[in-house]
Amino acid sequence: MTRETIGYPRRQPHLSPHEPLVWNWAQNATLANTTQQAQPASEGELQTLLRHHRGRVRVMGSRMSPGRMLALHQHDDVLIDTSALRGFIDSDEHSATFAGGTPLHEVYEHLKAMGRILPASPGVIDAQTLAGALATSTHGQGLQQSSIGDEALSIRMVLADGHIETFDRQHPWFAAVQTGLGCLGVVTAVTLRTQPAKVYT
């Protein structure tokens, strides 16, 4: 094997604003042509896209998954960008609901303003989307602290046929949906368990 075939792919730090390809977060692997990327502005648009699209579908959050998980191989495949499906939705005394495409730093900032935190130990990188963090079982480290997915109370998802399903902890498929790697559908909302903010010393 040559050095080129066994080494890491070279990063492309100076991409043109007119770059015709979609790159992963590390900018060392291409995922698709920009023409194959779809960015639904609402859950309804996402339903329509999934219901009528005939090629393969990949779901992209912050593009941190390995390139081989997201890369498209056929012209009629589509890469769904969930960045427009973001933001705070609702909360109660013990939980908060966010859209699936919400970056983790926005989740943490909103909870901080509410005087709440997640019982989970956060991961190192907070640019991940909430749905992506769940799908890849993101976790930090700390005694008696869980992964982010363990704090999900319910997960709302648009399935391949455009049907919307909500999975709670009583649903027999909940454990699969918690860490679905984007293979089971597109997560549009997640309700997370919260607790009063604490200061650790």
Side-chain angles (χ1 to χ4, degrees):
M1 283 188 154
T2 66
R3 185 184 182 93
E4 287 74 18
T5 58
I6 62 173
Y8 288 103
R10 217 171 266 236
R11 189 170 187 272
Q12 306 295 322
H14 305 294
L15 295 176
S16 163
H18 308 292
E19 172 63 43
L21 299 174
V22 180
W23 291 74
N24 65 345
W25 178 77
Q27 294 181 193
N28 63 359
T30 58
L31 307 178
N33 292 312
T34 54
T35 56
Q36 295 175 284
Q37 182 176 315
Q39 187 187 60
S42 66
E43 191 176 65
E45 283 189 22
L46 175 60
Q47 284 182 277
T48 301
L49 188 156
L50 291 176
R51 189 176 291 127
H52 298 293
H53 189 74
R54 292 294 170 259
R56 292 191 175 188
V57 173
R58 296 286 185 269
V59 186
M60 176 178 71
S62 299
R63 298 174 293 159
M64 291 185 182
S65 294
R68 64 185 178 277
M69 288 185 66
L70 297 176
L72 304 184
H73 301 290
Q74 302 295 329
H75 292 299
D76 59 350
D77 294 347
V78 66
L79 187 63
I80 297 178
D81 176 0
T82 62
S83 60
L85 305 174
R86 67 197 289 171
F88 170 76
I89 296 174
D90 196 12
S91 67
D92 61 24
E93 188 179 356
H94 302 291
S95 69
T97 303
F98 295 87
T102 309
L104 288 181
H105 67 86
E106 291 185 14
V107 171
Y108 298 143
E109 288 163 10
H110 198 94
L111 292 178
K112 180 180 177 181
M114 296 168 57
R116 310 289 294 179
I117 59 172
L118 299 181
S121 176
V124 175
I125 300 174
D126 64 3
Q128 285 179 286
T129 62
L130 175 57
L134 263 65
T136 55
S137 195
T138 292
H139 62 86
Q141 57 186 352
L143 294 176
Q144 299 177 343
Q145 289 185 301
S146 63
S147 72
I148 294 173
D150 287 334
E151 305 312 326
L153 299 176
S154 69
I155 299 170
R156 182 178 171 97
M157 180 181 286
V158 181
L159 305 180
D161 62 357
H163 176 72
I164 294 175
E165 184 87 32
T166 299
F167 302 87
D168 61 20
R169 289 185 166 270
Q170 283 68 53
H171 198 289
W173 299 349
F174 184 75
V177 173
Q178 273 179 298
T179 312
L181 294 175
C183 297
L184 304 178
V186 183
V187 172
T188 57
V190 181
T191 298
L192 297 164
R193 180 180 12 238
T194 66
Q195 65 184 26
K198 298 177 181 179
V199 175
Y200 292 93
T201 59

